[in-house]
Amino acid sequence: MVQQSVKSVRVGDSPASSAFVPGYVPGRRWLIILLSCLGGFLLTVVWSAEFVDRVIGDNVANTLLGHDVKETPIAGVAAGIMFALVSGIAGTFTACNIAVFGAMAPMLGSTGSRWTRFAQALKPLGWLSVGMIAISAVYGALVGFVGTTMPQFATSSNAPGALSARSVQSLVVFGLIGLIMFYLGLAALKVVPDPFARVSRRFPQAPMVFMGVLIGGFLIGRPFALFRQMFRDAAESHNPLYGAAAFVLQSVGNIVIMAILFLILATFAGGRLRRWIAAKPSRLTVLIAVSLIVAGVFTVLYWDVRLLARRDIIPWYPVAPWG
């Protein structure tokens, strides 16, 4: 009886405070954190930007547009809009977007019939899109207004042992996003306070809107070649409306595959997944925490530490032969 009481305290439940903190605390939280950090680190070691950006990204964009995207100038607003959407889809699996998949976990476990689960899944995706579209539109308009003087417009190569303004921007933006996601993962495990505990009482959609802001924020530091091609076109247009539209479609393209996968999972496996979570509610907490911590650690290590090694500013960072 005593052992059972101790166990219930260690893995017991409390009311959920937000979408990221379901309220069920698993045991061995520090082991979960350690293994998640290790997973994020190992992902940086095996990740190949060459394969993801060029083999996957370029080929997808070339196939969808029917021409060599890097060799063909963007001719006009209509072509630019189409290029923005396609390049966003092509960049789904780039290192910038690995954290997008971490947004799926808090949206799992819907109930009801398939159509009900489908409708329920659309709501968090909608709120995610609100935050993403807002930040993308504002940044795109800014690029259309003053983009030719921004670091991402530059075409100069990075010199060994130094960081260009473009690289510094990526380092700061992705480092900040990664730290935020890592903190949210810890909050899910109740190691640190939930930053949305109060605001979620009046606006329960706030965490998903904020996650959308983080996803849209990837554009602020993104070095993906096809994105920079779109960036330069929007900047040279000096048209804030075109810049806003192009950047919004870029972000929409980034999440469209993730959204389709999530809707399929929620619709056809949501009932089974809900029963699996209901059998041990702390499983949802583990899913959320692991996805956010892995994404956060990967983002910080890949875009900050590994970047410094690639620029010969720090002596070494472990990278797989194909990386």
Side-chain angles (χ1 to χ4, degrees):
M1 181 68 69
V2 174
Q3 292 179 348
Q4 185 176 1
S5 300
V6 172
K7 183 178 180 181
S8 66
V9 171
R10 186 166 58 90
V11 298
D13 60 279
S14 59
S17 54
S18 75
F20 294 139
V21 186
Y24 296 91
V25 182
R28 300 181 180 180
R29 291 182 295 176
W30 292 106
L31 180 60
I32 294 172
I33 294 170
L34 177 62
L35 293 178
S36 300
C37 291
L38 179 61
F41 164 71
L42 292 177
L43 194 55
T44 67
V45 175
V46 303
W47 192 269
S48 172
E50 177 77 17
F51 176 77
V52 175
D53 291 3
R54 299 185 183 181
V55 177
I56 296 179
D58 290 359
N59 286 332
V60 168
N62 292 342
T63 300
L64 292 177
L65 291 176
H67 57 75
D68 189 329
V69 292
K70 289 186 176 179
E71 299 298 329
T72 305
I74 301 174
V77 173
I81 293 297
M82 180 59 69
F83 182 90
L85 179 61
V86 169
S87 61
I89 296 173
T92 297
F93 299 100
T94 60
C96 306
N97 267 8
I98 189 68
V100 173
F101 296 92
M104 293 181 65
M107 298 187 283
L108 297 174
S110 55
T111 61
S113 66
R114 286 184 177 178
W115 285 111
T116 301
R117 293 197 298 267
F118 180 82
Q120 289 176 340
L122 287 176
K123 293 180 182 179
L125 282 176
W127 288 110
L128 184 82
S129 299
V130 168
M132 182 190 70
I133 289 173
I135 194 70
S136 300
V138 170
Y139 188 60
L142 180 64
V143 169
F145 187 68
V146 298
T148 54
T149 61
M150 298 172 72
Q152 283 175 299
F153 188 83
T155 59
S156 57
S157 301
N158 291 287
L163 287 174
S164 65
R166 189 172 71 243
S167 293
V168 171
Q169 181 172 326
S170 296
L171 186 149
V172 172
V173 171
F174 291 132
L176 180 60
I177 291 175
L179 289 175
I180 291 173
M181 298 194 78
F182 180 75
Y183 182 93
L184 292 176
L186 296 181
L189 295 170
K190 293 197 171 184
V191 174
V192 296
D194 179 7
F196 298 102
R198 291 188 177 181
V199 68
S200 289
R201 297 172 187 171
R202 299 184 62 182
F203 186 42
Q205 300 85 2
M208 296 315 303
V209 174
F210 182 76
M211 183 60 70
V213 170
L214 292 184
I215 293 172
F218 283 120
L219 299 184
I220 299 176
R222 194 166 205 182
F224 182 40
L226 296 182
F227 167 74
R228 292 190 58 236
Q229 189 173 344
M230 184 203 74
F231 181 99
R232 293 179 61 82
D233 181 68
E236 290 173 341
S237 74
H238 300 290
N239 184 339
L241 291 178
Y242 170 55
F247 276 57
V248 166
L249 286 176
Q250 170 84 191
S251 286
V252 170
N254 285 165
I255 71 165
V256 67
I257 293 179
M258 181 273 289
I260 293 173
L261 291 174
F262 170 70
L263 289 174
I264 292 174
L265 178 64
T267 302
F268 295 99
R272 184 180 303 174
L273 184 61
R274 182 182 62 83
R275 290 190 294 271
W276 179 75
I277 292 174
K280 190 175 182 180
S282 61
R283 287 171 175 169
L284 180 58
T285 301
V286 174
L287 286 174
I288 294 172
V290 169
S291 63
L292 290 172
I293 292 173
V294 168
V297 170
F298 170 85
T299 303
V300 171
L301 292 183
Y302 186 89
W303 288 109
D304 286 21
V305 184
R306 181 170 158 169
L307 174 65
L308 295 177
R310 291 180 62 188
R311 300 289 183 264
D312 296 325
I313 295 176
I314 62 175
W316 180 77
Y317 189 87
V319 178
W322 57 84

